Amino acid sequence: MTRHVYVHVPFCRRRCSYCDFSIAVRKRIPAQEYIAALRRELGLVEVSEGLETLYLGGGTPSLLPPDAIASLITSLRDAFPSTPALDAVEVTLEANPEDVIPANANAWRRAGINRVSLGAQSFDDTVLKWMHRSHDAAGIAAAVHTLRAAGISNVSLDLIFALPAELQRDWGRDLDRASALGPSHLSLYGLTVEERTPLARWISRGATSAPDDDRYAAEYLSAHSRLTACGYQFYEVSNAARDGCRSRHNSAYWTGRPYLGLGPAAHSFDGAARRWNVAAWEAYRSAVAAGRSPIDCQEQLTPEQRELERVYLALRTAAGLPQSACAPDRLTAWHGSGWVELAGDRFVCTPEGWLRLDALVRDLTGSGEMV
């Protein structure tokens, strides 16, 4: 039943100031050891379907040498023998702008990569330095042009908003520069403070301010206004795309379809249960080298949890929920407040409603916690 595969590549050159992902900071990327470990894990899982989407995320997958990426994709195709021609599969690579050079981009396209998610984050060099990013603003445009020259036209840009006021980041300018590049897709993420990150330490000692809710709301709504005017449609709370360019892989998550996760910290879901691998690279490598499953933990979702997740994921997207899922008085109140719109027999969140997503789901389900 699994047609969607996520591969976690944990390696990074440095840790960004806000990042709490499972990464392994390395000067030398152990590419061959990593590919060998992935192949061992593949040998431990049962597959029977062909691939529809493949997503190489991280970490920084673009740090892998192009031949390692090609080898990885070949191994996955061999493991999913009923996969159609690779051009029919959405194959996404997360990349940092500085890794997008002509030789790499051309090799990625030959290997089957047809979509790149570019970690731009900002077009302000001061902000990029504060984030501990290793590229500058000029490198973003250069990377987009290089990808297109290599035949990869489906390019997504990641941007982070709601930064501390003292950075004096011009969010409108960043949106304008991003849309001027004409990416097919944009992902927008509000800054969050996670424990054990440089950002959390800076805030604890007063070196920078915590994210501000009013700034978050204002910049989120501004993004909707500007990007919609440029022809983008927000099809999910944090994602906007041009026609025909929605992320098929991420859409599988949001519609509750099964997926397989490979690599350190990767999550899998079979429709009823979720499991995840050990997070540390060395622990993962050691487990599969010994022929052991790298699964760290798993949970069986109760019917109540599955329903809560179904409601939450549906309200995250532009598909929304049937009107019958909400009591008429509550729906009338939400509509009157501008938090939802009616589209035929369904109700969908407005941008203002997406800002209140957790509260709306709690109101709808009576749940005190989110999944």
Side-chain angles (χ1 to χ4, degrees), residues 47-88:
V47 297
S48 59
E49 303 286 339
L51 287 175
E52 287 186 11
T53 69
L54 170 61
Y55 194 106
L56 308 183
T60 314
S62 56
L63 285 177
L64 290 177
D67 60 342
I69 292 173
S71 178
L72 173 57
I73 293 174
T74 297
S75 295
L76 285 159
R77 287 210 63 189
D78 290 344
F80 290 79
S82 57
T83 296
L86 205 55
D87 278 348

Side-chain angles (χ1 to χ4, degrees), residues 3-82:
R3 293 179 177 272
H4 307 279
V5 174
Y6 172 83
V7 178
H8 186 73
V9 183
F11 309 111
C12 288
R13 295 293 190 193
R14 64 174 74 174
R15 182 177 288 277
C16 295
S17 59
Y18 50 81
C19 175
D20 75 333
F21 294 165
S22 173
I23 67 169
V25 176
R26 296 288 188 275
K27 290 184 178 180
R28 184 191 75 82
I29 306 303
Q32 295 308 312
E33 296 95 322
Y34 174 77
I35 298 300
L38 257 292
R39 286 175 175 156
R40 292 189 184 101
E41 186 182 4
L42 267 174
L44 298 173
V45 300
E46 294 183 7
V47 297
S48 59
E49 303 286 339
L51 287 175
E52 287 186 11
T53 69
L54 170 61
Y55 194 106
L56 308 183
T60 314
S62 56
L63 285 177
L64 290 177
D67 60 342
I69 292 173
S71 178
L72 173 57
I73 293 174
T74 297
S75 295
L76 285 159
R77 287 210 63 189
D78 290 344
F80 290 79
S82 57

Side-chain angles (χ1 to χ4, degrees), residues 49-262:
E49 303 286 339
L51 287 175
E52 287 186 11
T53 69
L54 170 61
Y55 194 106
L56 308 183
T60 314
S62 56
L63 285 177
L64 290 177
D67 60 342
I69 292 173
S71 178
L72 173 57
I73 293 174
T74 297
S75 295
L76 285 159
R77 287 210 63 189
D78 290 344
F80 290 79
S82 57
T83 296
L86 205 55
D87 278 348
V89 180
E90 181 190 82
V91 185
T92 301
L93 176 77
E94 287 186 351
N96 279 352
E98 67 272 19
D99 297 328
V100 184
I101 60 175
N104 286 353
N106 284 298
W108 296 339
R109 186 67 191 95
R110 289 193 300 270
I113 302 294
N114 51 33
R115 182 176 185 271
V116 169
S117 178
L118 202 62
Q121 315 309 358
S122 177
F123 288 82
D124 184 317
D125 285 336
T126 299
V127 167
L128 292 171
K129 184 176 180 180
W130 178 86
M131 290 179 173
H132 292 172
R133 301 294 293 173
S134 50
H135 68 275
D136 59 16
I140 302 170
V144 172
H145 297 320
T146 298
L147 290 168
R148 288 176 176 152
I152 303 175
S153 59
N154 195 353
V155 177
S156 178
L157 296 182
D158 286 358
L159 295 174
I160 296 179
F161 66 96
L163 302 181
E166 59 265 22
L167 288 173
Q168 299 183 331
R169 188 268 198 92
D170 187 335
W171 177 231
R173 177 176 175 272
D174 268 10
L175 290 171
D176 290 344
R177 292 191 64 177
S179 58
L181 291 174
S184 56
H185 189 280
L186 286 149
S187 295
L188 312 178
Y189 302 106
L191 182 68
T192 57
V193 183
E194 307 293 345
E195 295 181 5
R196 297 183 296 277
T197 61
L199 176 59
R201 293 192 292 272
W202 297 344
I203 292 173
S204 69
R205 66 173 184 256
T208 193
S209 59
D212 176 79
D213 288 345
D214 290 339
R215 177 181 291 272
Y216 184 106
E219 293 191 352
Y220 183 75
L221 296 175
S222 171
H224 273 266
S225 176
R226 286 174 179 263
L227 294 179
T228 299
C230 291
Y232 292 92
Q233 178 188 21
F234 275 80
Y235 67 104
E236 193 270 346
V237 62
S238 299
N239 290 272
R242 296 195 182 278
D243 287 345
C245 295
R246 297 182 179 189
S247 168
R248 290 161 51 194
H249 183 86
N250 289 337
S251 293
Y253 296 155
W254 303 323
T255 51
R257 281 173 277 176
Y259 53 87
L260 172 66
L262 301 168

